[in-house]
Amino acid sequence: WRDRSYLAMAAGIVVAVVASFVIYLAPDRNEVAEAFASHVASEPEIFRERGSIEPAKLVAAFSRYGGSLEEPVGQIRHFGLCPILGVMAYHILVQTEYGPATLILLPQTRASTARPIVRAGFAVVVVPLQKGSLGILADTPDRASKVESLIQSRVRWKS
């Protein structure tokens, strides 16, 4: 026991094993995705809206974030500004070919998710933009990913 190198090595192994389990078992953390899901969950009445908003509003919104909407992504049922993470963000409900999806255009904060994160009953994808982030929320991870692909195929982002 006088040679403490074995003790130090054993302690290092224990720390590495515990850290591996914590990283592996810990849920994905993404403050922006969680804020998007929390906000959308707090406004369930928006899902009942059946309005038909002119596509020019979505074109203008994407333009403010460095994007050019080249083809429609679906019928816009709600288009408004909402406070999220201390700034005003566009909150948009779109009926896409894959079903309803909520889009949130958040200024100033760039964030991303590697894959959809499920929070507050929503699958959330966050895409970093030149001037902020785009949140895509749907009822399933598969639908959120499909809507993300749809948007990426129809919006040209400026570098």
Side-chain angles (χ1 to χ4, degrees):
W1 290 102
R2 288 187 176 187
D3 185 7
R4 294 183 185 213
S5 62
Y6 290 111
L7 186 58
M9 185 169 57
I13 290 171
V14 168
V15 168
V17 169
V18 169
S20 296
F21 276 110
V22 168
I23 290 170
Y24 179 75
L25 296 175
D28 292 331
R29 286 279 295 148
N30 187 305
E31 180 183 345
V32 172
E34 290 175 8
F36 289 166
S38 175
H39 176 76
V40 172
S42 75
E43 295 187 340
E45 67 279 1
I46 287 176
F47 291 104
R48 292 187 291 277
E49 291 192 23
R50 298 286 182 244
S52 183
I53 312 297
E54 60 272 7
K57 285 192 170 190
L58 189 58
V59 169
F62 276 123
S63 178
R64 288 186 190 107
Y65 287 80
S68 173
L69 181 60
E70 307 214 341
E71 293 179 55
V73 294
Q75 181 185 14
I76 305 163
R77 295 178 14 198
H78 172 83
F79 187 96
L81 281 169
C82 296
I84 301 175
L85 294 174
V87 296
M88 296 305 284
Y90 286 107
H91 180 166
I92 305 154
L93 179 62
V94 179
Q95 182 65 39
T96 74
E97 60 193 71
Y98 302 111
T102 299
L103 310 179
I104 296 180
L105 286 163
L106 179 72
Q108 302 172 4
T109 302
R110 292 187 78 221
S112 67
T113 54
R115 63 185 185 284
I117 294 174
V118 178
R119 295 290 186 272
F122 297 98
V124 185
V125 173
V126 181
V127 179
L129 303 178
Q130 186 180 39
K131 299 176 182 178
S133 298
L134 167 64
I136 301 163
L137 294 88
D139 59 349
T140 67
D142 182 58
R143 182 171 289 159
S145 294
K146 285 179 178 176
V147 173
E148 176 192 13
S149 295
L150 176 73
I151 290 171
Q152 295 291 20
S153 72
R154 297 189 181 175
V155 177
R156 300 291 167 245
W157 300 103
K158 298 173 190 166
S159 312

